[in-house]
Amino acid sequence: MSEKTKTRHEQVYNSLRADILAGRLEPGQKLPFADLSSRYGFSVGVIREALSRLVEQGLVVNAPQQGFCVTPLSKTDLLNLTQARCEIETLTLRHAIDEGDIEWQSQVLASHHRLANTPHRDADDPERFSEEWAEAHRAFHETLLEGCDNPRLTGVAKQLRASAELYRQWTAPLSEGKKRDTAAEHQAIVDAVIARNADLAVQLLNDHIALTTKILLESGEVDAAERASVA
């Protein structure tokens, strides 16, 4: 594959992913090839590859006889996903703290600094996370786990986080007024990691993941979106 072709594939993948996470393509929305080719100006082949990558991340599903659609929100799926993330990500973090070196700790500090200094909200749509913050947030959480020497664990953890991204984006307009201090949660995790206090870091990460789910479930948004996707 030429560099130009790779660039095209990456461009449409990034555009599709951004539109899904920003809510411009809503959970459960069908994704016909013709519509996407017109929308993004790329061939069906390029669109198909991008959709296949998004299926792997859990942001898109490919149902027999129905084609591709944005992954619907589901209370059952969210609870299952949260349980899996809490178990896998905390296990991976424990390994990272035990096995990570000073270079890894430096990368954790750097990724946290970038996250803490990136605008949280989209200037054009304050009810959504900015794409820059979402990317910094993803990088921070992935860096936390990169001290783990087991690529199987880090790979599964990364895939689970990608699947949760759609749900997490939907908590953006809901987390206001919930007295949640996300920045403080991140800082506490970093402090525990740098101190190599594995028990505390694991508990803080578990609580961080679980609180996102709690906010979304209490809002009723998952139930509403699930009803809409089957209507």
Side-chain angles (χ1 to χ4, degrees), residues 1 12 40 48 72 83 89 95 146 150 162 172 174 192-193 217:
M1 184 183 295
V12 70
Y40 298 107
R48 182 186 295 277
Q83 180 185 21
E89 288 190 44
H95 277 280
E146 286 174 356
N150 187 327
L174 309 172
V193 166
L217 289 177

Side-chain angles (χ1 to χ4, degrees), residues 17 35 47 53-54 61 98 124-125 128 150 162 181 207:
R17 188 175 189 276
D35 291 355
I47 296 292
R53 289 177 64 184
L54 292 167
V61 294
D98 183 52
D124 297 324
D125 186 1
R128 294 291 174 190
N150 187 327
D181 190 342
D207 293 347

Side-chain angles (χ1 to χ4, degrees), residues 51-188:
L51 289 173
S52 296
R53 289 177 64 184
L54 292 167
V55 167
E56 293 175 2
Q57 294 187 6
L59 297 178
V60 169
V61 294
N62 185 12
Q65 310 300 322
Q66 298 180 23
F68 292 94
C69 71
V70 179
T71 299
L73 299 187
S74 158
K75 181 177 180 180
T76 299
D77 178 59
L78 176 58
L79 291 171
N80 289 338
L81 178 58
T82 301
Q83 180 185 21
R85 288 188 61 208
C86 286
E87 294 187 8
I88 295 297
E89 288 190 44
T90 56
L91 173 62
T92 307
L93 180 60
R94 189 176 291 278
H95 277 280
I97 293 171
D98 183 52
E99 300 160 4
D101 57 14
I102 190 67
E103 178 61 28
W104 165 69
Q105 286 189 315
S106 298
Q107 291 170 358
V108 168
L109 289 171
S111 65
H112 177 253
H113 179 76
R114 178 190 172 200
L115 175 62
N117 289 278
T118 300
H120 197 178
R121 299 285 168 168
D122 188 327
D124 297 324
D125 186 1
E127 289 195 341
R128 294 291 174 190
F129 296 121
S130 73
E131 293 181 15
E132 294 79 9
W133 188 89
E135 171 58 23
H137 186 254
R138 178 200 61 76
F140 167 69
H141 276 278
E142 288 186 4
T143 303
L144 281 177
L145 307 182
E146 286 174 356
C148 174
D149 290 338
N150 187 327
R152 291 286 189 177
L153 277 177
T154 54
V156 172
K158 183 176 180 179
Q159 183 177 10
L160 290 171
R161 277 202 57 78
S163 297
E165 193 72 5
L166 183 59
Y167 287 100
R168 192 186 62 76
Q169 286 282 345
W170 275 66
T171 68
L174 309 172
S175 56
E176 295 292 347
K178 297 290 183 178
K179 298 182 179 179
R180 179 178 195 179
D181 190 342
T182 306
E185 292 172 33
H186 290 148
Q187 183 66 63

